[in-house]
Amino acid sequence: MWEHLSLDLLAHVFSFLPPDSVARAMAACKHWFDCARSRTPPSRQPPWLVALPARAARGRPSCYAHDPALNRWHVLPLDLFPCPLRLVAPVGSSLLCKVAASSDLRLVLLNPFTRQFRNLPDLTMPRRNPAVGIVVRGVDATSDSSSSFSVIVAGGAWGSCYEPTVEIYDTGPGGWSLVGPMPVEFAVRLTVWTPNESVHALDGAMYWMTSARAYSVMGFDLGRRAWREVKAPMADRLEWAALVRRPSGKLGLVGGYGDGQGTVWELTEEDKWVAVGGVPAELGRRFWGRSKSVATRCVGGEEAVYLFRDLGSEMLVWRKSSPSQIKKKKEGEETWEWRLVHGRCCMPNIPIKAALLHPTLSRSSFPASL
Amino acid sequence: MARTIKFRSSDGEVFDVEEAVAMESQTMKHVIEDDCADGGITLYNVTSDILVKVIEYCKKHVDAAVGSFIKALGGVDKDLESWDGEFVNVDLAIQVDISNASNSLNIEGLLDLTTRVIADNIRGRSHKRSVRSSTLKMSSRPRMRNGFGRRTPGRS
């Protein structure tokens, strides 16, 4: 019976399965193994949180992935790469990382699930700690393989000066090219004050947060090559803040001040921030109640928002309600709910940098060359 | 009187199908629009028992679309959903055959419906259960190397 399923059909079946079921299916027979390994159907599953240590940690280098469906953590060894890596941003179903040991930016594309990696070519000029942003152009519709993306690098330090230029890397031509100059003040703030969570919004601009009190948002319009600054809501009161991409494609900001307080804002077309959600008081007290000294971090996308401190502690997740819960509510209304998930237990409380991505066990989604 | 198209299954049975129902299949839609359906269409890879089910699905969905304002307003037709649920309540072997037919005939709704049911059958199974249901021998199973699988030293 199963041998009558063609590869295309089998790939379609696998697209409905969460990654752990695909992994088990791959162990059934060579036909299923080859199919899952070589086909990359579009993901219908919720994204996973994938975290790397933010600084040197004891033990062998590893990456930690949280499965939201089973509420389970996985440890994926990163011994495939010769030296430690630090996470920069998610790119489709892979991670863009930088080499920790290098003071100048050196980027590596990595898929910790299939254990594939590839070094990006060197930048046009050496830069220390520039702002990095990703534009993912989606999966190529004509083949079942690689996604194409661009990497935008802005600012950075060179010697004792700041480099007020922007350069871009495209997977198509496969090299870096200088885009043009940028205001020196922006270059300084992006080099010194950005935690590097960027958002490519539907309006065609790349946004970065800078955390020099007060918080503000730097936007680079990729079409017009123009920079602008947008003030964050309650900018001088926020104690923590991060940028996320909202389901509408607009820019979102998650931030809070004081204990037990967190709000999600969305930027409208008139450059005004509108509050669209907030952490419920009871959950906020449980999340922030115990350890007030550790900084709050946030990552989010169109499908979920995670608030966390470190690897061992509980995390707050804001996600679309499951279909069974949606049926109980008014039809047609999309609801999001907050819940607490446990951290990676039996681990020291190491600070982490995290990203949301859809894991894939298919090797074909990774670019063949960069 | 609605125009009908003759469909011949691989085992020689002939079915008269209304044009609107046949057009649920994107493949057949192109054949009909190119005026190549006048002599009837032979489906060499679909048997009569499966073709009956496919025609039943297409007819139900065409009738539901004509009579339903809910779908036009972007809502969900609960009755059609529960009919779909009953429709796929068949043996897995028949599911696979219907899935293959909907893939070759390019009927998106039926393809999604049947592949989702097959996926639900596989979801959550241990790999041992998957092997038992697969018809291939133990020796053709690959060793797992990624973070999810278990290594099985000593087994081939």
Side-chain angles (χ1 to χ4, degrees), chain B residues 69-141:
Chain B
F69 293 110
I70 298 170
K71 212 169 176 185
L73 293 170
V76 172
D77 189 339
K78 289 285 187 197
D79 290 337
L80 190 61
E81 262 191 14
S82 70
W83 187 91
D84 282 351
E86 278 307 306
F87 178 80
V88 292
N89 194 8
V90 292
D91 276 349
L92 201 55
I94 299 177
Q95 284 288 355
V96 170
D97 289 338
I98 297 177
S99 208
N100 272 320
S102 58
N103 191 29
S104 61
L105 291 169
N106 199 352
I107 307 170
E108 196 183 323
L110 185 56
L111 179 65
D112 268 358
L113 181 64
T114 47
T115 48
R116 194 186 289 271
V117 170
I118 297 169
D120 285 344
N121 189 274
I122 300 175
R123 186 196 304 264
R125 278 191 177 201
S126 70
H127 71 285
K128 286 182 185 170
R129 242 187 99 195
S130 298
V131 168
R132 278 203 292 274
S133 73
S134 118
T135 57
L136 298 182
K137 293 178 189 172
M138 295 267 283
S139 58
S140 62
R141 276 183 303 144

Side-chain angles (χ1 to χ4, degrees), chain A residues 189 192-195 208-216 238-239 241:
Chain A
R189 288 163 75 178
V192 180
W193 294 110
T194 180
W208 289 275
M209 174 82 81
T210 58
S211 57
R213 301 286 189 275
Y215 279 98
S216 71
L238 289 177
E239 291 182 3

Side-chain angles (χ1 to χ4, degrees), chain A residues 1-6 9 12-13 16-18 21 23-24 26-30 32-33 48 74 113 331, chain B residues 78 92-93 96 99-100 103 111-112 115-116 118-119 123-127 130-131 133 135-136 140-142 148:
Chain A
M1 169 187 74
W2 292 106
E3 68 270 21
H4 297 141
L5 275 175
S6 64
L9 214 48
H12 205 90
V13 170
F16 289 103
L17 292 179
S21 290
R24 273 191 282 271
M26 286 168 77
C29 63
K30 199 162 186 317
W32 286 18
F33 180 86
W48 287 32
H74 297 279
F113 297 91
E331 227 175 71
Chain B
K78 289 285 187 197
L92 201 55
V96 170
S99 208
N100 272 320
N103 191 29
L111 179 65
D112 268 358
T115 48
R116 194 186 289 271
I118 297 169
R123 186 196 304 264
R125 278 191 177 201
S126 70
H127 71 285
S130 298
V131 168
S133 73
T135 57
L136 298 182
S140 62
R141 276 183 303 144
F148 290 100

Side-chain angles (χ1 to χ4, degrees), chain A residues 23-252:
Chain A
R24 273 191 282 271
M26 286 168 77
C29 63
K30 199 162 186 317
H31 180 64
W32 286 18
F33 180 86
D34 289 340
C35 178
R37 212 62 162 162
S38 61
R39 305 285 170 124
T40 320
S43 175
R44 300 170 201 255
Q45 304 298 321
W48 287 32
L49 180 84
V50 179
L52 269 73
R55 55 168 195 254
R58 267 189 269 171
R60 66 175 184 172
S62 299
C63 155
Y64 305 92
H66 179 253
D67 177 354
L70 300 178
N71 200 13
R72 187 185 293 169
W73 284 91
H74 297 279
V75 182
L76 306 170
L78 287 184
D79 48 4
L80 64 156
F81 198 79
C83 38
L85 296 172
R86 299 285 172 254
L87 176 60
V88 173
V91 182
S93 49
S94 305
L95 296 173
L96 189 71
C97 300
K98 60 182 180 184
V99 176
S102 170
S103 54
D104 295 332
L105 186 72
R106 279 181 50 210
L107 294 169
V108 178
L109 189 70
L110 167 76
N111 185 336
F113 297 91
T114 60
R115 296 175 65 78
Q116 292 168 292
F117 72 89
R118 210 166 294 279
N119 291 298
L120 267 72
D122 288 340
L123 275 65
T124 58
M125 61 185 69
R127 297 170 191 262
R128 285 198 313 279
N129 204 36
V132 182
I134 311 289
V135 177
V136 178
R137 283 192 290 280
V139 178
D140 184 353
T142 58
S143 76
D144 57 2
S145 61
S146 37
S147 52
S148 64
F149 60 91
S150 300
V151 183
I152 293 116
V153 168
W158 185 39
S160 55
C161 306
Y162 293 97
E163 181 54 52
T165 56
V166 181
E167 60 183 287
I168 190 166
Y169 171 88
D170 275 312
T171 45
W176 290 93
S177 54
L178 268 180
V179 168
M182 64 185 291
V184 175
E185 189 210 331
F186 282 31
V188 172
R189 288 163 75 178
L190 286 175
T191 304
V192 180
W193 294 110
T194 180
N196 239 335
E197 276 120 13
S198 66
V199 167
H200 179 235
L202 203 63
D203 59 4
M206 181 68 65
Y207 292 97
W208 289 275
M209 174 82 81
T210 58
S211 57
R213 301 286 189 275
Y215 279 98
S216 71
V217 178
M218 309 276 141
F220 178 57
D221 188 316
L222 295 165
R224 292 198 304 262
R225 307 280 203 241
W227 285 88
R228 70 194 189 102
E229 184 178 353
V230 180
K231 211 171 159 205
M234 297 197 292
D236 46 356
R237 292 176 64 192
L238 289 177
E239 291 182 3
W240 59 272
L243 294 180
V244 299
R245 186 175 156 127
R246 297 286 301 140
S248 55
K250 292 184 180 158
L251 179 67

